[in-house]
Amino acid sequence: MIICDVGSTVCRVDRDGKCHVVEAYVARLQEIVGSSSFESLHDDLRSIETLRLQEQEKQGRFKLSYYTDAARLQETVEKVLARIKGQPFGMISSVDPFNGDGLIDLLPANVSKAFALRWWCEHLDRDPMDIIFAGDSGNDLAVLTAGYRAIVVGNADRSVVEEATISHRKSGWSGRLHVASASATSGVLEGCRFFGLIATDE
């Protein structure tokens, strides 16, 4: 299974290596949105001048994504929240750890990577403690703070490291979080070694 688009898409890979959208998850998200549409939502948000629509390939059936100035992220978040109040939509904001762009993703209400991962575990009757999740930005926080074994890579925003660390400490989870010193995929490998998923170097 592949969870992508900030948790708004779940795909399965068949034996031929082809990727297919899981229709049961599509149906679940459609239940949440109901008769509301992301097209109408975009029209409602056009007047917020600090929002810039992301490229078409970064949009999805259940994801409407924008760029914003990172320095004005909180200001923009507050404006968007005021517009979506009472609608079946939620928002995840983050800062791109590679280029510093402010990012705003509109999704069905309460949907996130954690929502998708929980759905996947229930759908396939998998033990959540079989999961090891790696992340680096604000849109990963929902999973990093959900109790799974988690890796925060070295290039992650410091606020992500702090929030994940505090959440695990407050929840009393021991040994479930590894803050890597290495960046990106090297940090993922470091975390996998920490959790014993792959052998450590001699």
Side-chain angles (χ1 to χ4, degrees):
M1 299 286 266
I2 301 172
I3 294 172
C4 46
D5 297 334
V6 200
S8 66
T9 304
V10 173
C11 298
R12 62 176 178 82
V13 180
D14 64 23
R15 293 180 179 178
D16 295 325
K18 294 181 180 179
C19 200
H20 305 274
V21 171
V22 175
E23 292 300 327
Y25 191 67
V26 171
R28 179 69 187 95
L29 299 194
Q30 189 61 57
E31 282 180 11
I32 298 171
V33 173
S35 60
S36 299
S37 74
F38 282 88
E39 291 79 8
S40 295
L41 178 60
H42 176 53
D43 288 339
D44 289 343
L45 299 176
R46 285 182 186 275
S47 62
I48 300 179
E49 59 188 26
T50 50
L51 288 176
R52 306 189 313 276
L53 191 66
Q54 292 186 20
E55 297 82 358
Q56 185 59 42
E57 63 269 21
K58 296 182 180 179
Q59 309 299 334
R61 178 172 176 178
F62 295 104
K63 183 171 80 78
L64 178 60
S65 297
Y66 295 91
Y67 295 116
T68 190
D69 185 341
R72 301 182 69 181
L73 180 59
Q74 189 54 42
E75 169 195 340
T76 306
V77 162
E78 291 172 3
K79 290 180 179 178
V80 174
L81 285 175
R83 296 288 179 89
I84 66 175
K85 186 177 181 180
Q87 299 188 64
F89 301 111
M91 179 186 61
I92 295 177
S93 62
S94 58
V95 175
D96 189 310
F98 294 100
N99 60 27
D101 281 337
L103 305 173
I104 288 180
D105 296 301
L106 283 303
L107 309 165
N110 301 313
V111 169
S112 64
K113 291 179 181 178
F115 178 95
L117 193 51
R118 183 171 59 252
W119 180 91
W120 178 74
C121 286
E122 293 171 354
H123 188 66
L124 296 183
D125 194 27
R126 296 297 300 267
D127 184 347
M129 291 313 297
D130 287 341
I131 305 297
I132 297 176
F133 179 86
D136 61 10
S137 73
N139 68 38
D140 296 315
L141 264 173
V143 186
L144 293 171
T145 59
Y148 300 100
R149 290 183 292 171
I151 303 162
V152 182
V153 296
N155 56 290
D157 188 276
R158 289 299 93 189
S159 65
V160 173
V161 176
E162 290 173 9
E163 288 191 51
T165 302
I166 290 170
S167 177
H168 278 248
R169 185 184 304 125
K170 285 184 175 180
S171 298
W173 297 324
S174 178
R176 296 193 199 179
L177 178 68
H178 178 71
V179 179
S181 57
S183 297
T185 52
S186 295
V188 175
L189 290 173
E190 179 187 323
C192 288
R193 293 188 183 96
F194 173 83
F195 287 117
L197 191 63
I198 55 178
T200 57
D201 297 330
E202 294 296 334

